[in-house]
Amino acid sequence: MYFVRRWSVRHAGKLSRVYRVFEALLFLSTPLLKLTGFSRLERPTRFIERGAKGLLFDCRMCGQCALTRTGLSCPMNCPKEMRNGPCGGVRPDGNCEVKPGMRCVWVEAWRGAARMGDLETIAGIEPPVDHRLWGRSSWLAVARERTEKKQAGDAKR
Ligand code: SF4
């Protein structure tokens, strides 16, 4: 919902702190997740993620979440799906060229990033959307990536 999405950006500082706790718990539980099997967990995790992030951010489940790098403003809500900053059509009032009643997701993103106290990360470059990942859980992808990195690190020692 649009107003909830905007509320989330207004509270990006607090919400990002909550997310960091969640992320730490997620990382702590990766051995358990690995034991259970990431593929077995995909369906239930996707269900929970879709519900929570759909409510708070109008998440569309692109499978490669950028929220922590975009001030908690989901770039996939941009009608042009711009993932690296706004197009040239932002209106003088900060609204979208395509949907005049909607605030540009990138105007929101910079405000959210400022509230998170991080204006550096948002300036980084996001890779193009990998369309094979649509509908998949980003949470599990992050946990899986972390496990693989840790395994690679252990193997080098
Ligand atoms: S970036 Fe992708 S996963 Fe993250 S909230 Fe937006 S659609 Fe959902």
Side-chain angles (χ1 to χ4, degrees):
M1 266 181 289
Y2 181 57
F3 79 91
V4 180
R5 186 207 305 178
R6 292 202 64 191
W7 177 91
S8 299
V9 172
R10 275 200 305 278
H11 296 84
K14 277 183 211 131
L15 286 177
S16 66
R17 285 193 287 278
V18 171
Y19 179 72
R20 274 199 286 274
V21 173
F22 169 74
E23 197 179 48
L25 292 174
L26 186 70
F27 289 159
L28 277 177
S29 63
T30 46
L32 187 66
L33 299 178
K34 198 175 155 221
L35 203 67
T36 313
F38 286 112
S39 50
R40 206 177 291 165
L41 290 166
E42 177 67 36
R43 221 169 146 172
T45 311
R46 191 169 57 205
F47 177 76
I48 298 166
E49 184 173 338
R50 189 188 297 274
K53 285 165 58 180
L55 172 72
L56 288 169
F57 311 110
D58 280 344
C59 170
R60 294 176 51 211
M61 295 296 283
C62 72
Q64 48 233 287
C65 197
L67 278 177
T68 53
R69 300 180 295 280
T70 58
L72 301 190
S73 172
C74 169
M76 304 317 282
N77 287 310
C78 165
K80 299 177 188 176
E81 297 184 351
M82 305 288 288
R83 281 178 76 100
N84 280 297
C87 70
V90 184
R91 292 170 187 268
D93 64 357
N95 281 8
C96 172
E97 176 185 36
V98 181
K99 294 183 178 174
M102 183 184 92
R103 176 75 61 182
C104 167
V105 299
W106 281 98
V107 171
E108 289 287 279
W110 277 91
R111 287 187 178 155
R115 286 180 185 119
M116 287 163 71
D118 178 9
L119 289 172
E120 269 179 41
T121 310
I122 192 171
I125 304 292
E126 284 295 315
V129 175
D130 182 344
H131 291 284
R132 292 168 301 180
L133 300 178
W134 277 99
R136 305 203 57 167
S137 165
S138 293
W139 292 344
L140 272 189
V142 168
R144 190 185 288 127
E145 192 185 307
R146 173 141 176 154
T147 307
E148 284 166 3
K149 269 189 192 156
K150 191 176 176 316
Q151 278 173 341
D154 290 347
K156 274 186 196 163
R157 279 188 218 137

